Amino acid sequence: MSEVVTGEAVVVEVRVAQLPSRALAFLIDWAVQWAVIILAVVLVTQASVVTDESLATGLLILFVVLVTVGYPVAFETITRGRSLGKLALGLRVVSDDGGPERFRQALFRGLAGFLEFWTFAGAPALITSLLNQRGKRLGDVFAGTTVIGERSPQQAPPPEMPPSLASWAATLELSGLSDDLANTARQYLSRWNQLSPHTRDEMGLRVAARISAQVAPPPPPGVPPYAYLAAVLAERRRREEIRLARVRSTPPPYGPQGLGVQGYGVQGQGVQRYGVPAPTAPTAPRAAEPPRGEAPTTSGGFVPPV
């Protein structure tokens, strides 16, 4: 994973494409380009019988340029950063700020790719990709682009609540459980079947001890680490789903939903809390106007400036 800072100064995590997947995507594109070049050579050779030799040579050069440079530029511009090889491997070219690839950037990548792959047999691209932190080749460095993977790896299903621990898990205090530690426990549970018994028990005890230091009350006696971690994560997920459901069902805090004003403020006459209409109250008699130089005091105790 790598962080990308957008134009709005928002940090977004993206999965940078690895060198093997990029190499395989290039081989697919390279095979398609060679097939088109061979077809163009056959057609030009057949046409050279009835045309001038210099015209046939010019057409052949034009076809080669269009295939080697025009193919990646056209595909990446039309599909917003994907050629046939990248489409097959789930890769995409994006700008360094996370935006879609533009024509200028695709043109820079295409011209640099002609030198990297067709002139120097891919050596500059390989060396630059190994040295760059994001695996960029020279075309990406010049164009200000990055190749990312759009297909996320398959994740294991979330752990289920052990029926015997459901009542105990409902009493848990989970406010101190950090996201990093919860992700550590989730990764351990997803790899539980792949670990050896000794490693599985040792790692489970270590992760369970760290979580029990941030979660209360402690588990019942005799509960194995796997069941304890599964109960904690399942209860955490259940509460998060309930919270999201309440947020989605809550009316918007602003809008004409009553006589008063919703949102922030002192609860009183004509003032609502979030989506709850305030009870109507009889109109109070108008107070006497204060002497000059003094400000009236509201029912909430706030004195506005004079």
Side-chain angles (χ1 to χ4, degrees):
M1 300 293 290
S2 177
E3 292 183 350
V4 172
V5 182
T6 65
E8 292 78 16
V10 178
V11 180
V12 180
E13 288 189 353
V14 296
R15 188 168 62 92
V16 178
Q18 300 299 319
L19 183 59
S21 59
R22 295 188 61 178
L24 184 56
F26 167 74
L27 289 178
I28 295 175
D29 293 329
W30 185 72
V32 173
Q33 288 173 296
W34 268 111
V36 176
I37 289 176
I38 293 174
L39 179 62
V41 170
V42 173
L43 294 177
V44 172
T45 303
Q46 296 295 330
S48 62
V49 179
V50 294
T51 59
D52 188 9
E53 183 179 355
S54 59
L55 178 60
T57 304
L59 290 175
L60 184 60
I61 295 175
L62 177 62
F63 275 118
V64 171
V65 172
L66 288 177
V67 171
T68 56
V69 178
Y71 167 84
V73 174
F75 264 94
E76 292 182 4
T77 302
I78 295 174
T79 62
R80 294 298 185 93
R82 293 185 295 181
S83 61
L84 290 179
K86 293 181 177 63
L87 185 62
L89 271 294
L91 307 180
R92 182 187 291 272
V93 182
V94 297
S95 302
D96 285 340
D97 60 356
E101 182 187 19
R102 295 179 287 272
F103 170 75
R104 174 182 57 82
Q105 296 171 318
L107 182 60
F108 271 106
R109 296 185 80 254
L111 294 175
F114 179 81
L115 296 177
E116 292 179 274
F117 300 112
W118 297 93
T119 305
F120 297 101
L126 178 61
I127 296 174
T128 309
S129 299
L130 293 176
L131 296 178
N132 192 273
Q133 185 178 4
R134 293 187 177 180
K136 291 186 175 185
R137 62 178 179 88
L138 289 179
D140 294 318
V141 175
F142 295 152
T145 55
T146 304
V147 182
I148 64 173
E150 294 185 309
R151 297 176 184 172
S152 58
Q154 186 177 4
Q155 297 181 353
E160 298 181 358
M161 172 67 72
S164 60
L165 298 178
S167 59
W168 166 79
T171 63
L172 288 175
E173 173 59 40
L174 301 175
S175 59
L177 181 59
S178 62
D179 294 336
D180 293 338
L181 189 53
N183 291 332
T184 302
R186 189 176 296 108
Q187 293 176 4
Y188 164 75
L189 294 179
S190 64
R191 298 173 51 195
W192 186 79
N193 292 326
Q194 305 173 4
L195 301 175
S196 62
H198 175 71
T199 305
R200 181 171 57 198
D201 296 339
E202 182 181 358
M203 185 178 297
L205 289 174
R206 186 164 59 248
V207 176
R210 293 178 57 188
I211 287 187
S212 62
Q214 300 181 0
V215 174
V223 175
Y226 177 87
Y228 169 68
L229 297 177
V232 171
L233 294 183
E235 178 65 20
R236 188 173 188 262
R237 186 180 71 255
R238 186 186 69 85
R239 296 182 185 181
E240 185 67 19
E241 292 175 353
I242 294 176
R243 187 187 66 83
L244 292 177
R246 289 177 179 174
V247 171
R248 292 171 182 172
S249 61
T250 302
Y254 305 103
Q257 297 187 5
L259 299 177
V261 180
Q262 285 181 319
Y264 305 93
V266 182
Q267 185 179 359
Q269 179 181 354
V271 180
Q272 291 177 324
R273 289 178 297 176
Y274 297 96
V276 181
T280 58
T283 305
R286 186 173 181 180
E289 186 174 346
R292 184 177 182 85
E294 298 182 2
T297 303
T298 63
S299 58
F302 172 71
V303 180
V306 179

